[in-house]
Amino acid sequence: PSDAFGEPVEINCTSYSAVDNMLYGGAGDAFGCYQWDLRSEKLVGTFGGAENNRCSGDYLHDVLSIPNNNHLVLTAGEDGAITFWDGKERKLIETMNVQNTMNTNKQSVSWQAQNKGFGSTQQWSSGSNLWVSSMDNKGDWLAAVGGSESGNNMSLRS
């Protein structure tokens, strides 16, 4: 796709939905997430971005399609939020701010799964902005990784 000035749009990530043959692309522009119908080879629309509840700032690092869950699409990026969308209607469902998953000492909460420790207990610098760079899903689990302006890395698992 191109922006209003005819310049190519930076697509940072893609996710494919085999259920409805859609391709989602997370962008570094004001529109957020692009949705293409691969049958018709046309852009169906966009969601997120500054004009529609501003998903993950102006820069998306990742988009994840979970079509078996009511066409659920997740976006994540520079604002440190994971945003849940109805991909069929292109409407906002909910936003989870990563900062809210930390304890009062600004440490990410650790989880235990199958006797293995996950997560990080590294303290974040005061005033550092957190971002989410990548997500993955398996069953009821969502894993997300990212970092902060201070260079610290974080990992979250639901």
Side-chain angles (χ1 to χ4, degrees):
S2 299
D3 65 14
F5 302 105
E7 296 295 321
V9 171
E10 175 186 341
I11 299 293
N12 303 314
C13 52
T14 59
S15 184
Y16 172 68
S17 168
V19 170
D20 51 7
N21 211 28
M22 294 289 177
L23 180 67
Y24 299 92
D29 69 0
F31 293 106
C33 189
Y34 289 78
Q35 181 182 23
W36 292 275
D37 181 334
L38 295 181
R39 286 184 204 101
S40 67
E41 298 181 3
K42 295 194 187 263
L43 179 67
V44 176
T46 62
F47 54 98
E51 299 302 314
N52 186 3
N53 297 314
R54 199 171 176 111
C55 69
S56 301
D58 288 336
Y59 197 94
L60 291 179
H61 287 287
D62 201 14
V63 60
L64 180 63
S65 171
I66 309 174
N68 294 334
N69 191 345
N70 295 321
H71 301 274
L72 186 63
V73 176
L74 282 63
T75 59
E78 293 287 310
D79 67 352
I82 298 172
T83 308
F84 298 76
W85 300 92
D86 177 330
K88 191 170 186 175
E89 301 293 325
R90 291 186 296 282
K91 292 188 178 178
L92 176 70
I93 297 171
E94 186 172 350
T95 300
M96 180 185 84
N97 187 324
V98 172
Q99 191 90 24
N100 295 340
T101 67
M102 298 185 178
N103 65 22
T104 56
N105 295 323
K106 295 254 186 216
Q107 294 175 328
S108 62
V109 179
S110 295
W111 289 269
Q112 297 290 323
Q114 299 175 354
N115 298 321
K116 296 179 182 176
F118 291 103
S120 168
T121 56
Q122 195 169 26
Q123 188 164 349
W124 302 103
S125 302
S126 179
S128 289
N129 290 329
L130 298 177
W131 46 268
V132 180
S133 63
S134 184
M135 302 175 291
D136 200 3
N137 166 256
K138 176 107 179 163
D140 291 338
W141 288 84
L142 172 67
V145 297
S148 72
E149 289 175 342
S150 64
N152 292 333
N153 293 322
M154 61 110 186
S155 61
L156 300 173
R157 287 159 180 86
S158 61

